[in-house]
Amino acid sequence: MENTQQIVERVAELSRLSFSEHEKNIFEVQFGKILHYIQTIENYDLAAVEPLTHIVTNQSSQRDDVPAECLTVDEALANAPKRNETFFKVPKVLQK
Amino acid sequence: MKGLYATAVLRKFALLCHAKGRIFYEFTSKFTMIENYEAIIGLEVHAQLLTATKAFCRCSTSYSLSPNAHTCPVCLGLPGALPVLNSKVVDYAVKMGLATHCSIREYSVFSRKNYFYADLPKGYQISQYEDPICHHGYIDIEVGEESATKRIGITRIHMEEDSGKSIHDVDIDTLVDLNRSGVPLIEIVSGPDMRTAREAYQYLNQIRQIVMYLGICDGNLEEGSLRCDANISVRKKGATEFGTKIEIKNLNSFRNVEKAIEYEIKRQVEAVESGQILMQETRMWDAGTHQTKSMRSKEFAHDYRYFPEPDLAGVSVSEAMIAQIRQSMPELPLARKQRFVSEYGLPWYDAGILTETQSLGTYFEQCCQSLGEQTKERYKLVSNWIMTEVLRYLSEKGIGIEQFPVSPSHIAELVELFAAELISSKIAKDIFPDVIGGESPKSVVERKGLLQISDESIILAVVEKILAEQFENVAKYREGKKNLFGHFVSSTLKELGGKANPRIVTKLLQERLQ
C-alpha cells in the first residue's frame, strides 16, 4: 500500500501536474483526511453487503437518436486559451 | 503451409550452396526456429457506431469540414454538463452481442476510465469495465482449406465513447478537434485463440463483415471507423503457460495487421532464442519501416483508476428487447456463404465474392428468383455474369451494387437468352451497354437482329464456302497443322456476323474436315 505522500505524487504524475514540496505537503494533509474518513468503513463487517454502484436503483433514462443543434464554432472555442483557425491549440503532446 | 514450403526450398538451396553454406544455414535455422514456437494472438477491435448522434449528447456524428463544429457542453467536458445515453448505442451493442453468440447482461453499468490527454476534455472516458453488456461469445472464422472453420472466443463487448482528434504535424503546438469526442464505439475483445497472422486477418475480416451486415459500422479501417490492436505472445510448442504479452497498436489496414503480427512473432522468437527476457509493453507498428517500435513506457504508464460513472445509472436490457432485436437480425455473412454453396450449388469461391457485401448477395438472389428455369447450372451462370461483367462495371464506375442501373430481372433474362443458346456469350457481352442503358435484353436482341443462328443448313452453307475458299489451309490441316482449326471456326463466325452458334459451327467443321 502506498503512503499518502506517494499517492499525492502518483496522482500529480498521472495528471501531468508538478507541485512544489510545500504544495505537496498541503495536499498530503488533505488527502490523508479524506482517506482516513473512507477507511472508517473498514471497521464494519460488510461481507454480506452487495457492492453499490448507484444510489438510485432505476435504470438510466435514454433518449432517441435524433440530432439537436450544437454550439457554434465560436461558442465552442470561446474559453480556449489559444486557437488556430477553429482548432483548440494545446502544448505539444508528442515529444520528438 | 507457405512457411513449411519455404523452409523446404531453403534447406535444399542451402545444401546446393554448400560452399557458401554458412549464411544459408543461419537463414534456414531461423525458419526452423520459428517453427518450434507458437504464437498466441488476441485482438481488440473498436467499431465506430453508425448512429446519427453521439453517445451521450445530441451532437451530430456526421462528417464536418470544420473542426469543432459538432460540439456542445457535454462533449466539450464543460463543468456541470450531464450525459444522457443514446438508446441506439445499446441496441447496436446488443445486436453485435447476439451476432457473436454472446450472453447479454440484463443490467450493466458505465465506468470512468481516467487518463490525461488533450483530446479527452473531461479527463476520463465513459466506458464499461466490470460486467460489460455482452460477454462470452464466439465467431467462426475461415481457415486454410475450403469451408474449414475455426472457433474464436469473444471475451467481451462493451460500449464506450471516442476521444477527439489530435493533430501533431500542422502547427508547432498540438491542435485538437472535438467533433469525434463522444462518438459511440463498441470494443470487441477476442479470446487469446489465434495462432497465426492469417487467422488474425480472417478474424478481423469476419468481424468487419458482421458489423457491416448488421449496419452498425461502415467497417472502414483506413479512415478509422474500425480500429484494431493486437496482443501477442510466443511460447515453445507444447508449453502450457503463456509468454509475455505485448500489445501492438496502429494496425490501420488489413495488410498492416498481417504484416505487423508476422513481424512481431519473429521478433519475439528471436529475442527469446537469444536469451532476452521480454517485458510487457506497448509497441507501435510503423508502416513506413515495417517494424514495431516500443512506445516509451512512461507515455503508457496508465493507471486508469476505473470507478462507476456516477452521472449515469445502469443500463437494463429486457428479454423482450433482446427478442425484438433478434428478430431484426439479418442472415450473417458466413452462414449466407455456406447457404449459397448448399442452396445454389456455387463453388466456395463464388459464394465468398457474392457475400462480400450484403447488397451484392441480395442482388444475386433476386437475379436467381427471376430466372424462368431454376437450376444450379443457371445459378452458376448468374454468378459468373455478376462476378465478371457486373463487378467490372461497378469497379470501373467506382460505385456499389446499390447504384447499379440494371434490374435483377434483366440480368436473369440475359442469362436465359444465353443459356438457351438464343445468343452467344459474345453477343451477350456486346449488348450489355444497351442493357445498362435500360433496355431489356430481349428487346435489344430483336431490335438489332442478333438472335443466334442455330439452323444447321445455314451454317453448313457457310462452312462449305469457307473451306472451299481456304483449300490450301485445308490441305495443310489434313497434313497435320491441327491448330488451323481455330482459324476455320473464327472465319465461319465472322462470315455469319458473330451470330452463329459456336457449338454447331465446331461440330459441322469437325464433320467436314474428317
Side-chain angles (χ1 to χ4, degrees), chain B residues 320-487:
Chain B
M321 183 177 158
I322 293 175
Q324 199 186 352
I325 293 174
R326 204 185 284 279
Q327 272 203 328
S328 72
M329 299 275 285
E331 182 180 28
L332 293 171
L334 188 59
R336 192 178 220 194
K337 186 169 175 179
Q338 285 160 345
R339 181 171 65 80
F340 276 21
V341 170
S342 61
E343 189 176 325
Y344 295 102
L346 295 182
W348 188 249
Y349 174 81
D350 291 37
I353 289 186
L354 295 173
T355 55
E356 188 82 22
T357 65
Q358 196 176 27
S359 39
L360 189 64
T362 305
Y363 190 86
F364 167 77
E365 293 206 279
Q366 286 167 346
C367 293
C368 290
Q369 279 156 17
S370 302
L371 287 170
E373 191 186 313
Q374 301 278 329
T375 61
K376 290 191 171 169
E377 289 71 35
R378 298 268 158 116
Y379 300 147
K380 175 62 179 141
L381 288 176
V382 171
S383 163
N384 289 348
W385 195 267
I386 291 178
M387 290 200 305
T388 54
E389 302 307 311
V390 176
L391 287 184
R392 183 181 308 130
Y393 179 83
L394 297 182
S395 84
E396 274 169 17
K397 297 281 170 193
I399 56 172
I401 190 78
E402 299 87 350
Q403 287 92 43
F404 186 55
V406 182
S407 70
S409 62
H410 280 180
I411 295 290
E413 200 176 296
L414 198 57
V415 164
E416 294 202 299
L417 287 171
F418 167 64
E421 296 195 336
L422 292 170
I423 56 171
S424 66
S425 63
K426 184 182 174 300
I427 297 286
K429 281 175 195 163
D430 286 350
I431 66 165
F432 197 44
D434 294 290
V435 177
I436 288 168
E439 199 173 347
S440 91
K442 268 185 192 155
S443 137
V444 183
V445 168
E446 277 165 23
R447 180 167 61 78
K448 294 193 168 174
L450 295 172
L451 273 186
Q452 180 158 276
I453 301 164
S454 295
D455 185 328
E456 291 203 8
S457 61
I458 297 171
I459 296 174
L460 186 59
V462 176
V463 163
E464 281 177 343
K465 176 169 170 263
I466 295 288
L467 295 183
E469 281 170 10
Q470 302 195 13
F471 62 91
E472 283 175 3
N473 278 340
V474 172
K476 281 182 195 159
Y477 176 84
R478 293 195 203 279
E479 280 162 22
K481 282 197 86 175
K482 296 294 177 202
N483 56 356
L484 279 166
F485 189 78
H487 177 69

Side-chain angles (χ1 to χ4, degrees), chain A residues 30-64:
Chain A
Q30 294 178 342
F31 272 46
K33 280 183 185 164
I34 295 167
L35 291 172
H36 177 75
Y37 178 69
I38 290 179
Q39 271 158 11
T40 56
I41 210 165
E42 285 178 5
N43 300 328
Y44 297 95
D45 177 15
L46 301 171
V49 180
E50 282 283 307
L52 178 75
T53 58
H54 292 85
I55 304 294
V56 288
T57 48
N58 54 333
Q59 61 158 315
S60 57
S61 55
Q62 297 179 11
R63 62 171 175 83
D64 291 339

Side-chain angles (χ1 to χ4, degrees), chain A residues 58-77:
Chain A
N58 54 333
Q59 61 158 315
S60 57
S61 55
Q62 297 179 11
R63 62 171 175 83
D64 291 339
D65 186 31
V66 180
E69 205 142 299
C70 301
L71 295 177
T72 65
V73 171
D74 283 326
E75 282 170 339
L77 289 160

Side-chain angles (χ1 to χ4, degrees), chain B residues 117-272:
Chain B
Y117 208 79
D119 57 24
L120 187 77
K122 295 193 297 299
Y124 57 85
Q125 177 192 30
I126 303 178
S127 180
Q128 292 193 293
Y129 185 52
E130 288 168 327
D131 306 338
I133 187 159
C134 313
H135 61 103
H136 291 98
Y138 66 85
I139 63 167
D140 291 327
I141 63 165
E142 292 176 44
V143 282
E145 298 300 307
E146 197 161 278
S147 75
T149 58
K150 174 176 172 175
R151 189 151 288 184
I152 307 293
I154 302 286
T155 308
R156 59 183 283 156
I157 300 174
H158 68 254
M159 304 176 278
E160 60 185 28
E161 59 175 339
D162 212 341
S163 63
K165 248 182 207 163
S166 295
I167 291 133
H168 304 289
D169 52 5
V170 173
D171 192 296
I172 188 156
D173 290 322
T174 293
L175 302 181
V176 178
D177 172 10
L178 297 177
N179 282 342
R180 202 182 65 184
S181 166
V183 166
L185 304 172
I186 49 171
E187 180 175 336
I188 305 146
V189 181
S190 83
D193 299 343
M194 289 157 270
R195 295 291 173 269
T196 63
R198 191 70 208 163
E199 285 180 12
Y201 175 96
Q202 290 290 2
Y203 169 83
L204 183 60
N205 191 38
Q206 192 58 226
I207 291 285
R208 178 171 177 270
Q209 279 198 334
I210 292 172
V211 295
M212 289 171 71
Y213 265 61
L214 295 175
I216 64 173
C217 172
D218 70 20
N220 194 327
L221 265 105
E222 280 75 11
E223 284 173 19
S225 30
L226 204 64
R227 281 165 246 161
C228 178
D229 302 331
N231 288 308
I232 305 169
S233 65
V234 298
R235 66 180 175 196
K236 275 245 161 79
K237 276 188 183 155
T240 48
E241 273 182 30
F242 290 129
T244 308
K245 183 174 83 175
I246 289 174
E247 185 178 7
I248 313 292
K249 288 191 172 289
N250 203 26
L251 305 175
N252 56 359
S253 77
F254 276 97
R255 267 163 63 90
N256 283 343
V257 169
E258 214 171 356
K259 273 190 184 164
I261 293 174
E262 259 162 25
Y263 173 87
E264 185 59 23
I265 293 171
K266 188 161 165 274
R267 187 191 72 82
Q268 288 186 22
V269 169
E270 282 172 17
V272 172

